[in-house]
Amino acid sequence: MSGNGPPHLLAWTGSEWEEVVTSTMAAEAAALEITDRWVWDVTGDGQPEVLVQFYADGAMRPFGGVLFAGNGDCSWRWIPTVDSCGSHQLYESLALDPPRGVFGSGFSGGCSVRESVSLRWIAAHEILLAEAMGGVPTCPDYENRLDLPLFVCTEGWPVSMVQEALLASGFDVDPDGFYGPGTQLAVLQYQASRGLPIDGLVDDQTWTSMHPPGGPYFPDFDGDGVSTPREIGSATGATEYGGDW
């Protein structure tokens, strides 16, 4: 890898080293200042991954990612990291602290408070999942939320509907109306089983997969193909009628 410019990855062909080109914007960017890099077995499969921390042109803080050669074919890609705000290819202030693991600055609970998190490898989905560090509760508070997306540290009857749909689909979750880490893991499993983007967010696409519009209790007043919690609440009397439909 170079000290400045994009990272250069080499793969052994059996007779010589050849440069591997990644398909990521970060690797192709012309103005990167690499501040640190590590080689470490993040996934526990016996093969090391490449971790890179860098400043992009104009960035106020460092970013980083974990490069992974999936299936042993030297087709390098960034491992997605998932926090309560969704999935990201790159993460802020990525760092390695062996033997404890990979760390960064992200959102373990809700999208309003940034904190230091550890990134745990989830082999079933080939993602790194952000978790609160040092025994800090993932969700010291919960936000009552009627609008999509639903995410970690939100609560309310729409979250209960998600949990009921997960249970009906065979995924283990506590139907308590609180979107905590257990619900996030179940959502990730559900998304993987349905071929949906694996980001841990219940957005329009995941919600509609669970609750397709149709019938008097799942209306689609505005005709956008989504029976939103507010539209459902209006039909059932849980919320007052309103909206741009």
Side-chain angles (χ1 to χ4, degrees), residues 5-216:
H8 296 286
L9 302 172
L10 303 178
W12 179 250
T13 65
S15 59
E16 62 180 347
W17 291 97
E18 290 187 357
E19 186 168 354
V20 178
V21 179
T22 74
S23 60
T24 64
M25 291 178 62
E28 296 166 358
L32 298 182
E33 179 187 351
I34 296 174
T35 58
D36 218 333
R37 59 268 203 177
W38 308 271
V39 177
W40 198 60
D41 184 8
V42 176
T43 64
D45 64 355
Q47 299 296 322
E49 283 71 47
V50 179
L51 293 80
V52 186
Q53 185 188 83
F54 55 84
Y55 278 93
D57 188 24
M60 300 300 295
R61 58 177 65 90
F63 286 82
V66 181
L67 282 161
F68 171 64
N71 303 318
D73 60 3
C74 287
S75 176
W76 292 87
R77 59 182 177 84
W78 298 113
I79 295 177
T81 57
V82 174
D83 58 25
S84 62
C85 295
S87 176
H88 317 276
Q89 293 299 315
L90 304 174
Y91 221 63
E92 291 185 14
S93 304
L94 189 81
L96 175 66
D97 182 16
R100 292 196 303 152
V102 183
F103 302 87
S105 174
F107 302 90
S108 68
C111 292
S112 59
V113 179
R114 188 182 306 276
E115 57 194 350
S116 296
V117 297
S118 62
L119 300 178
R120 179 164 62 98
W121 171 247
I122 306 294
H125 310 313
E126 294 191 343
I127 62 172
L128 290 164
L129 183 64
E131 298 178 317
M133 291 176 57
V136 176
T138 298
C139 299
D141 297 297
Y142 284 85
E143 172 195 351
N144 194 292
R145 188 171 177 86
L146 287 176
D147 297 309
L148 302 174
L150 305 172
F151 45 82
V152 176
C153 297
T154 56
E155 65 169 318
W157 58 262
V159 174
S160 295
M161 288 183 64
V162 168
Q163 293 169 336
E164 291 166 3
L166 291 168
L167 287 170
S169 298
F171 298 99
D172 185 26
V173 66
D174 182 10
D176 58 2
F178 294 91
Y179 200 134
T183 297
Q184 184 187 37
L185 278 173
V187 168
L188 291 169
Q189 294 171 333
Y190 177 90
Q191 290 173 329
S193 72
R194 298 300 193 275
L196 297 166
I198 301 174
D199 58 13
L201 299 179
V202 180
D203 57 6
D204 289 4
Q205 193 174 2
T206 297
W207 176 269
T208 300
S209 174
M210 294 176 171
H211 307 105

